[in-house]
Amino acid sequence: MHVTKRHLVITALLASVASVATPAFAQSAPADTQEATPPEQDDVIVTAQKREENIQNVPISIQALGTKKLDQLNVTNFAEYSQLLPSVSFQALGGTPGTNVVYMRGVASGGDGNHSGSLPSVGVYLDEQPVTTIGGNLDVHVYDIARIESLAGPQGTLYGASSEAGTIRIITNKPDTSGFYGRVDGEVNSVNKGGVGGKLEGMINMPFSQDVALRVVGFYEKDAGFIDNVAGCRSFLPATNPLGCTPNNGGISVNNSAFVKKDYNDTELWGGRAALKIDLDDNWTVTPTVIYQDERSHGSYGYDPRVGDLQVQHFFPEYRRDRFIQAALTIEGKLGNWDLTYAGAYLDRKDLQSSDYTDYAEAYDQLYAHYVSSDGSFSCEGIAGCFYFMDSAGHQIDPRQHVIGTDHFKKMSQEFRVSSPQSDRFRVTAGLFYQRQSNDIHQDYQVPGLAPSLSVNGHPGTLWLTQQHRVDKDYAMFGEASFDILPNLTLTGGGRAFIYDNSLIGFFGFGRDPNGPPYNAAASSRTGVAGCFTTTGAQLRDNPGGTLLPAAVDGSPCTNLGIFSNGTVIPKGTQGQGFTHRLNLTWKPVHDVMLYATWSRGFRPGGINRRGTIPPYAADYLTNYEVGFKTTLAGGRLRLNGALYQQEWKKFQFSFLGQNSFTEIHNGPNARIRGAELDANLNLGPLVLTAAGSYTDAKTTQNLCSVDDPTYTCATSSISAPTGTRLPVTPEFKGNATARYTVDWGSAKPYLQAVVAYQSSASSDIRVAEAALLGRLPSFTTANFAAGAEFGNYSVEVFIQNAFDERGQLSRFQECGNCSQRPYIVPIDPRTIGLRLGAKF
């Protein structure tokens, strides 16, 4: 492995953990670090309703993966724990870590995740603080995590705007004043058809007094690559062979010899987390926390089946760096017998990405192979004949592009809430919430050698530039009250009044040569600088001799996205307000059996379209009707929970790549989603069996039209998806089962474990024609096996994941709107064999 200063720092931290792992310290460890009863026999405590409750008493379809379960299943990231949550699906945008868009219960229209697209429909929380961001969920490294809670269905009452379809909560283990203890874990693994990876993780809990404790976590992980960038060529018209390596007929040919590499897609991740717990007195606790994570990925995580299994042919450097830091503060206390909680956080996330965009040139070269204008007055052949990809001397150049993109997310959230005593017959939780998130967006589509006069003004070599500033603000007040009508019958009602205020300003498009035409390499006379505002308020294309206003966003040549007002440009904005609700009736006919019925509603805010001719998109709403049960049977050895639901999704937001591969967001038709969820846990002493599954039937109830039609009765030629089309991404059935057998041999506890997961096929796009070109996601089954033993405070395990080397497909994508000639497949990891060692002290 490549060693850098950051690796030495994290290794030193973990080594210091290991150096104190002695029997003397083991004597001071609290009971929960010693060998204990498996957690399957313990009550699972969750905080899904902002209170600590046994999961069997929470009238929500919820799954929780605790510390022991996460460790047993070797879960370290989102892709791994989402496999264990049947109601959760995701779309991997290019497959690169940190770009996954999360969906729950089939509430997916596809195409989400663009930096100027819709907000997510699933909220992600780290402890009390929301960490939901556009462009991919925050993939927090999972280590020393108390539990992961998956709350299915609208959670808009207690969790707000981005919890329309559900919420995922990552709850960390908190500092503990009871004693000094810690752990260290290491792993090495080998990927079939790939390289060697591994990880090193450690945790220390240090009490400074009976009132103050510090908990520190550190981790380093190297994920081996398994996709090869193989040798290939591209030729552009008038060359006769588009895959040729030798130019002919006056065309241009290129090869990727400088970037050929095996195991192209490796990832390194490192970071740490620290939390300080201060008990001010018996009633008040202050917990500041900070987490930092730095993830660096290389290569492509999607392979090109036209080239070969786990192979691509890419022609420019590909990498992504995703780093974030979050500081958070939680204050918990009591006034009288009421609980008060303040939760505030500030998140700063930066990502930098370089992507190959050769497929765009390949697609457009063929799209314009025999171009004739509509009036027949002009014809041309390929990029060379129809556009102006030339250097300063007027020579034709290689038309390929690569994209350098950055996003800088900032998110501040604050919540204050109060709760009455949980033992009261009538109990209330109420609070206030404020959130502001911003994103500085930079997308630079570069063509090496492009003449400055044909580039974006002030950016030589840039064909297209996006430079924008986005702000999304949310204000809310919420409350939920429960009343015990009878000792075994409870009515709960809640609501959330909200206001959202979203804005977008900046620049997008091509440059404009004042001496043109041609105005730029794309021969565009209207998009880009041509649309920028002049001092009179007119756009440059309508006022060619006008003076451009200064750029509103740094790095832009001018501003074409905004509203002219009083001699300046202000952001385009959209605002809205509304109310979401939750009504629940819970009945416990006998001990350890609970039945419930819920009527709830969630929402997702509206937003701005960049293209000025497209109006803002409105908020969409999801109404949920649900009945469920939770049972604890056979003397506590069997837990069986289930739910049936129907959801009505009104005018769902739909994102797609429109003209010039330009993201557009529209409000589409309505959809209806019906489903069932079931999970079971059976503890037979040495043998523990768990299973979970979901069935999702998600379909449109109106036509999805390619033109704006409020009646959704568009002409056949304009129907992108007819009534009854299944919503994309989510499989109709998804399930998993785990068996773990442990033998108690004195001080040793050997075990065997097997995990099987299955998901049925799913469409890759809601639009029928585009889905056919992109290809369907086929069903697949994976099996993981592990064998190991625990020896007091030490453990050893050998494991095999994806044992039968199934080539499961997580998602499919293409590089541009017209790049259907090369659909890419994001696969699950190939068979991986490894060894894990651990020690507690």
Side-chain angles (χ1 to χ4, degrees):
M1 295 180 187
H2 180 62
V3 179
T4 64
K5 290 183 179 179
R6 68 178 185 278
H7 302 155
L8 294 176
V9 170
I10 201 72
T11 302
L13 170 64
L14 296 172
S16 68
V17 174
S19 67
V20 296
T22 63
F25 280 121
Q27 294 175 4
S28 65
D32 63 357
T33 68
Q34 306 296 321
E35 296 303 331
T37 303
E40 288 81 4
Q41 296 180 7
D42 299 335
D43 290 337
V44 179
I45 304 300
V46 297
T47 52
Q49 297 190 119
K50 308 284 188 176
R51 304 170 180 267
E52 289 192 351
E53 299 172 282
N54 187 323
I55 193 172
Q56 294 301 98
N57 295 328
V58 179
I60 296 175
S61 180
I62 176 175
Q63 286 187 282
L65 304 173
T67 303
K68 191 80 171 181
K69 195 74 171 179
L70 294 168
D71 289 345
Q72 289 175 350
L73 300 178
N74 192 26
V75 171
T76 61
N77 58 41
F78 168 78
E80 291 171 347
Y81 69 72
S82 66
Q83 185 185 48
L84 305 171
L85 303 173
S87 294
V88 176
S89 57
F90 66 94
Q91 190 172 32
L93 302 175
T96 309
T99 62
N100 298 318
V101 178
V102 190
Y103 303 110
M104 295 185 76
R105 282 187 170 179
V107 182
S109 60
D112 301 305
N114 186 280
H115 43 234
S116 54
S118 300
L119 286 162
S121 62
V122 173
V124 180
Y125 277 67
L126 180 61
D127 291 319
E128 292 285 347
Q129 291 79 17
V131 292
T132 314
T133 58
I134 302 169
N137 69 300
L138 207 66
D139 200 351
V140 178
H141 183 77
V142 176
Y143 183 75
D144 192 42
I145 297 298
R147 64 190 177 275
I148 294 174
E149 299 178 4
S150 173
L151 287 59
Q155 307 296 323
T157 302
L158 295 179
Y159 293 98
S162 285
S163 293
E164 178 184 38
T167 301
I168 294 174
R169 306 181 68 227
I170 303 170
I171 312 298
T172 61
N173 282 313
K174 303 302 186 290
D176 180 3
T177 58
S178 67
F180 179 93
Y181 58 93
R183 58 183 289 199
V184 61
D185 297 275
E187 176 186 313
V188 62
N189 58 63
S190 177
V191 179
N192 185 41
K193 298 183 179 180
V196 175
K199 60 187 175 186
L200 186 61
E201 305 161 311
M203 176 277 292
I204 297 177
N205 184 86
M206 296 178 290
F208 297 123
S209 70
Q210 63 180 3
D211 300 319
V212 180
L214 175 69
R215 196 177 190 104
V216 179
V217 174
F219 49 85
Y220 170 78
E221 182 173 354
K222 171 67 179 292
D223 293 332
F226 52 84
I227 292 178
D228 301 334
N229 193 22
V230 300
C233 302
R234 298 289 184 272
S235 291
F236 301 96
L237 293 169
T240 57
N241 179 8
L243 302 180
C245 294
T246 303
N248 68 351
N249 201 34
I252 292 175
S253 294
V254 296
N255 65 66
N256 67 344
S257 59
F259 305 105
V260 171
K261 184 180 179 182
K262 281 186 64 63
D263 307 333
Y264 188 49
N265 60 321
D266 61 273
T267 296
E268 285 186 280
L269 177 146
W270 70 281
R273 187 175 74 242
L276 181 68
K277 178 183 178 183
I278 305 171
D279 292 329
L280 302 177
D281 56 29
D282 291 341
N283 292 326
W284 287 89
T285 298
V286 177
T287 309
T289 63
V290 62
I291 178 174
Y292 177 81
Q293 185 170 298
D294 191 336
E295 187 170 45
R296 305 187 185 205
S297 305
H298 308 94
S300 171
Y301 279 73
Y303 70 90
D304 182 353
R306 284 187 51 176
V307 177
D309 182 39
L310 301 180
Q311 292 181 340
V312 294
Q313 287 178 345
H314 283 180
F315 294 77
F316 282 103
E318 293 187 290
Y319 55 83
R320 186 174 195 272
R321 184 182 185 189
D322 186 356
R323 50 186 168 148
F324 70 86
I325 185 169
Q326 177 180 270
L329 176 65
T330 303
I331 302 174
E332 299 168 291
K334 283 184 176 294
L335 282 180
N337 58 357
W338 283 61
D339 294 325
L340 277 69
T341 302
Y342 167 79
Y346 179 78
L347 170 69
D348 191 301
R349 180 186 187 186
K350 298 178 181 178
D351 65 63
L352 165 66
Q353 184 162 331
S354 174
S355 306
D356 179 67
Y357 209 49
T358 297
D359 291 2
Y360 183 91
E362 180 185 34
Y364 274 79
D365 200 46
Q366 295 302 312
L367 189 65
Y368 284 86
H370 304 288
Y371 177 78
V372 179
S373 62
S374 58
D375 61 4
S377 62
F378 173 76
S379 63
C380 59
E381 184 179 63
I383 291 176
C386 300
F387 300 99
Y388 298 91
F389 285 77
M390 295 180 289
D391 60 20
S392 296
H395 299 138
Q396 193 72 31
I397 62 171
D398 172 7
R400 292 175 303 123
Q401 303 172 45
H402 69 285
V403 186
I404 303 296
T406 64
D407 289 281
H408 187 183
F409 297 96
K410 295 179 182 179
K411 187 185 189 85
M412 180 184 69
S413 63
Q414 299 188 68
E415 178 174 310
F416 174 76
R417 67 177 184 270
V418 297
S419 299
S420 63
Q422 190 171 351
S423 58
D424 288 356
R425 184 180 183 186
F426 178 76
R427 48 202 177 272
V428 176
T429 295
L432 301 172
F433 176 81
Y434 169 72
Q435 174 179 271
R436 183 187 190 275
Q437 51 188 336
S438 65
N439 184 15
D440 292 319
I441 304 162
H442 170 76
Q443 293 281 306
D444 188 344
Y445 292 72
Q446 299 180 358
V447 179
L450 186 65
S453 62
L454 299 171
S455 305
V456 174
N457 303 56
H459 297 263
T462 295
L463 175 67
W464 175 288
L465 179 70
T466 298
Q467 199 80 14
Q468 297 169 355
H469 180 67
R470 173 174 179 164
V471 176
D472 297 273
K473 292 185 285 188
D474 298 280
Y475 311 81
M477 55 183 179
F478 60 90
E480 191 166 273
S482 297
F483 177 69
D484 294 332
I485 302 171
L486 299 171
N488 64 343
L489 184 65
T490 300
L491 178 66
T492 299
R496 188 181 189 98
F498 63 85
I499 299 173
Y500 66 85
D501 184 353
N502 302 336
S503 65
L504 189 63
I505 190 170
F507 172 85
F508 64 93
F510 303 107
R512 184 177 177 89
D513 182 0
N515 299 315
Y519 296 109
N520 46 63
S524 173
S525 61
R526 299 189 61 81
T527 303
V529 174
C532 284
F533 291 97
T534 63
T535 53
T536 66
Q539 293 174 300
L540 186 63
R541 61 175 172 254
D542 300 322
N543 183 20
T547 302
L548 289 171
L549 286 169
V553 177
D554 290 342
S556 305
C558 49
T559 303
N560 60 8
L561 174 58
I563 299 173
F564 181 82
S565 177
N566 297 323
T568 188
V569 183
I570 61 174
K572 291 182 69 175
T574 183
Q575 299 82 32
Q577 58 187 5
F579 182 81
T580 59
H581 64 264
R582 176 174 177 264
L583 187 65
N584 173 271
L585 185 65
T586 301
W587 179 43
K588 296 181 177 179
V590 295
H591 183 64
D592 288 336
V593 174
M594 183 182 74
L595 306 176
Y596 69 87
T598 299
W599 173 40
S600 58
R601 193 182 194 215
F603 83 103
R604 177 169 52 167
I608 303 299
N609 270 296
R610 290 183 291 168
R611 195 183 295 277
T613 56
I614 303 173
Y617 53 95
D620 60 12
Y621 292 85
L622 182 74
T623 302
N624 175 58
Y625 308 92
E626 179 178 339
V627 294
F629 65 89
K630 296 193 174 185
T631 62
T632 303
L633 308 171
R637 291 177 298 178
L638 173 63
R639 290 174 180 162
L640 181 64
N641 302 333
L644 297 172
Y645 63 86
Q646 176 165 310
Q647 300 182 138
E648 305 292 341
W649 195 12
K650 300 295 185 181
K651 296 184 178 180
F652 61 76
Q653 295 169 14
F654 170 60
S655 302
F656 63 95
L657 293 177
Q659 184 181 357
N660 300 121
S661 294
F662 200 86
T663 300
E664 299 181 13
I665 308 99
H666 297 257
N667 286 94
N670 298 336
R672 186 267 301 147
I673 306 165
R674 292 173 179 158
E677 296 158 339
L678 189 70
D679 68 90
N681 184 306
L682 177 62
N683 191 321
L684 299 175
L687 177 64
V688 176
L689 303 173
T690 62
S694 67
Y695 168 78
T696 307
D697 181 23
K699 296 179 179 179
T700 61
T701 57
Q702 296 168 303
N703 294 328
L704 175 65
C705 303
S706 59
V707 296
D708 285 328
D709 182 347
T711 67
Y712 306 104
T713 57
C714 47
T716 302
S717 60
S718 298
I719 296 177
S720 295
T723 299
T725 299
R726 285 190 59 83
L727 298 182
V729 182
T730 303
E732 189 172 12
F733 177 78
K734 182 181 177 184
N736 65 81
T738 302
R740 186 177 177 95
Y741 187 80
T742 305
V743 180
D744 191 349
W745 285 351
S747 61
K749 293 184 181 294
Y751 61 85
L752 296 173
Q753 178 176 277
V755 181
V756 176
Y758 168 80
Q759 64 182 58
S760 61
S761 65
S763 174
S764 53
D765 197 296
I766 190 173
R767 297 166 295 174
V768 175
E770 284 76 2
L773 291 172
L774 201 53
R776 191 170 179 82
L777 298 170
S779 61
F780 66 90
T781 303
T782 60
N784 303 337
F785 302 102
E790 298 177 359
F791 305 92
N793 289 328
Y794 301 92
S795 62
V796 59
E797 179 182 279
V798 292
F799 65 88
I800 178 170
Q801 295 175 331
N802 192 8
F804 304 108
D805 203 26
E806 180 83 2
R807 194 70 73 241
Q809 298 182 18
L810 297 174
S811 63
R812 286 177 170 241
F813 68 94
Q814 57 193 45
E815 287 188 354
C816 73
N818 289 306
C819 293
S820 57
Q821 83 280 8
R822 291 189 183 276
Y824 290 86
I825 297 171
V826 179
I828 62 175
D829 289 353
R831 181 173 56 244
T832 302
I833 299 174
L835 171 69
R836 282 198 293 267
L837 300 173
K840 299 178 182 178
F841 54 90

